[in-house]
Amino acid sequence: MKPFSAALAALLLSMVLPSGPANAAGNGPLPFDDPPGTYVPGEVIVKFKASATPQVRRAAFARQGHAILAELRVPGMARVRVDGGQTVEQAIAAYQSDPDVAYAQPNYIYQGARAPLDPLFGQVWGLKNTGQTITSQPPGSPLRYDVNYAGSNPGTPGMDIDVEAAWNTITDCSKVVVAVIDSGINYTHEDLAANMWDGREWGLPHHGWDFVDANDNPMDQHGHGTHVAGTIGAVGDNGKGVAGVCWKASLMAVRVLDKYNYGKTSNFVDGIGFAIDHDASVINMSIQGYNRRDQAYADVIEEARQNDIVVVVCSGNFALDADQQNVWPCNFSLDHGNVVCVAAIDQKDRFAYFSNYGARTVTIGAPGTNILSAGIGGDDVYYVNNGTSMATPAVAGVAALLRAHNPLFGYPDVVNAITESGRWIPTLAGITRTGKVVDAARALAFIEAPTGLTARVE
Amino acid sequence: MTRLFRYCAALLLLGALSACGSSSSSTPADRAVTLSWSQNRESGVNSAGGGYRIDIAGRDPVDVPWVPGVGTPTSTTIRLPSGRYTVVVFAYAALDAQGGRTGNESAPSQSIQVTVP
């Protein structure tokens, strides 16, 4: 470095670093480069040297015109109100130059990472991947389930949908009605009952409609829809079972699949229409079909788009290239901007071997192997399942979080936030449209570039 | 680079670091320019810690923050001397991508050219 440059660097450094005595650890003055919002405005913490008497300390505060808010438990340490038009940075610099002060620092703000107190949450790797092994619970266990996707178990820490960070911002999606168009929902389940859609104002006490048996009781007779519902909105932090992406939710049960898990166009049309008519703003359809183009199905998906509903669907489980096949409803993503088609990844961010793919048709990936969620056959039943059906509700849950946090969002905003913010992984590159895994925290933080900029010279 | 460095250093010694590479001083001959844009729909942009930042090539950025009781403005009027300027606007919010409050910013808007006679 040239001498002139070195001198300038030193000068610049002197403006950034408060001069004065070394801190208590002997490492020099504490730098101050903390952005606003990371510390309490108008407060600093001051630690005096052991030699500083109470009189000396009081005199130091008086010179700065600051008031002591509290003496902290460490001798000679106080929390101080910064007055007199000083910034926190200026106050710290002033104290650092006081020979009686050991150090001064901002009163930093910390956040507790929000993790729900649900006993099985540690097995829900898709929401928080710690590298845990998803383990079968043997017969006779209070909670009995089997794990049957051997690959990538245990997984890799951090390869999840990053929802724990999002929970620092929002956990409650209850103002967003999410229609689970599926085999129904076990709406009395201990981890779902409190999060079911309240249909009483519509005269629907059982939280939805059954289009298979044409009645108002969409109780799940297969288990598929209940599992999906649990990933979206199993009650969080209730000390029971698992947690969903949304700790509080409004889950509408729309039964269109029978007890064998099969459905038909007419029920899909009616089911989506029901969701439209009853104010759903997110639809989850973990359903696959390989027929020729189904115009009736397409028409009602379009009606959902016109009603500003995000429709999250699965890519299907036949390891097919959906760009080259008729895969419905996934391929509606080509013509309907409200459709997000979801592939499955495993615990190590690898593409699940069964998942359909498509560089144009499949939008994004989400965890879809060894997924633990709620079940049927009892109100405390949980089980592990695999499939793009299990990946889809993770994205639907993020869509609900986005809509709950941003009430002004239309479906293009939701879809854009999900697709733009996702976490790129090489195993999805080239076989999905975005090459990304859904990322809840980044989706919540995503900000669209402003539009419509104009200027008028007066 | 060295010349610019020395120029900056000289300005710094004059206590005018912020003027290095940009200028925002206004004179009576300057013209008022009203910039407007569409409202962003993110809650973070429209609440405490949110707002817009306008970048005008060769000038200091203009901050248009959220205002308590008012909201986040979607227009602002600045004064510019005669010249041709490239202008973009960014939206920002306090929420960051780790669930914290260190802030996050959008990509820039499409740029526009503003000619002040």
Side-chain angles (χ1 to χ4, degrees), chain A residues 132-388:
Chain A
Q132 68 270 62
T133 300
I134 311 305
T135 51
S136 297
Q137 302 299 303
S141 301
L143 297 162
R144 160 96 182 91
Y145 55 83
D146 290 316
V147 173
N148 52 15
Y149 191 93
S152 301
N153 187 18
T156 303
M159 292 184 173
D160 53 40
I161 70 163
D162 198 18
V163 74
E164 198 171 63
W167 287 337
N168 286 328
T169 303
I170 185 168
T171 57
D172 184 352
C173 312
S174 58
K175 291 188 174 153
V176 176
V177 177
V178 181
V180 178
I181 299 181
D182 209 290
S183 61
I185 298 176
N186 179 6
Y187 53 76
T188 58
H189 193 281
E190 64 177 9
D191 234 359
L192 294 172
N195 277 352
M196 294 304 299
W197 173 64
D198 184 356
R200 285 175 298 181
E201 68 170 294
W202 308 87
L204 298 167
H206 302 305
H207 318 287
W209 192 262
D210 178 351
F211 288 96
V212 176
D213 292 327
N215 61 50
D216 72 349
N217 188 0
M219 177 55 77
D220 190 357
Q221 296 177 35
H222 179 274
H224 186 269
T226 298
H227 197 281
V228 164
T231 297
I232 298 168
V235 179
D237 214 26
N238 64 340
K240 294 175 182 174
V242 296
V245 175
C246 298
W247 293 10
K248 292 183 178 177
S250 180
L251 299 165
M252 176 188 285
V254 184
R255 184 168 180 250
V256 298
L257 301 177
D258 62 21
K259 62 183 176 182
Y260 305 108
N261 218 27
Y262 282 87
K264 54 192 177 186
T265 299
S266 55
N267 284 349
F268 298 165
V269 170
D270 286 344
I272 294 171
F274 180 89
I276 294 169
D277 292 344
H278 294 85
D279 300 336
S281 56
V282 176
I283 286 174
N284 188 105
M285 288 194 78
S286 292
I287 293 172
Q288 59 182 336
Y290 299 86
N291 306 299
R292 297 170 70 173
R293 183 171 174 85
D294 187 334
Q295 191 58 48
Y297 203 167
D299 286 348
V300 76
I301 291 280
E302 173 59 18
E303 187 182 348
R305 190 192 67 78
Q306 292 170 3
N307 282 274
D308 196 28
I309 298 175
V310 178
V311 181
V312 187
V313 306
C314 65
S315 69
N317 300 330
F318 285 89
L320 297 171
D321 183 350
D323 290 2
Q324 307 299 324
Q325 307 278 338
N326 289 307
V327 182
W328 312 110
C330 177
N331 289 12
F332 291 135
S333 66
L334 290 171
D335 300 324
H336 305 272
N338 59 327
V339 174
V340 177
C341 178
V342 183
I345 58 161
D346 70 15
Q347 292 160 253
K348 290 186 185 292
D349 268 358
R350 294 174 182 154
F351 197 69
Y353 72 84
F354 52 76
S355 180
N356 291 348
Y357 53 93
R360 293 185 303 124
T361 48
V362 178
T363 315
I364 201 163
T369 65
N370 291 337
I371 303 299
L372 180 62
S373 186
I376 61 169
D379 290 339
D380 58 356
V381 170
Y382 300 84
Y383 73 108
V384 169
N385 208 349
N386 307 299
T388 56

Side-chain angles (χ1 to χ4, degrees), chain A residues 405-406 413 445 448 454 458, chain B residues 32 34 36 40-43 104:
Chain A
H405 184 59
N406 301 288
D413 303 308
E448 194 85 55
T454 61
E458 310 290 347
Chain B
T34 298
S36 304
N40 271 58
R41 289 180 287 277
E42 295 86 1
S43 293
N104 199 26

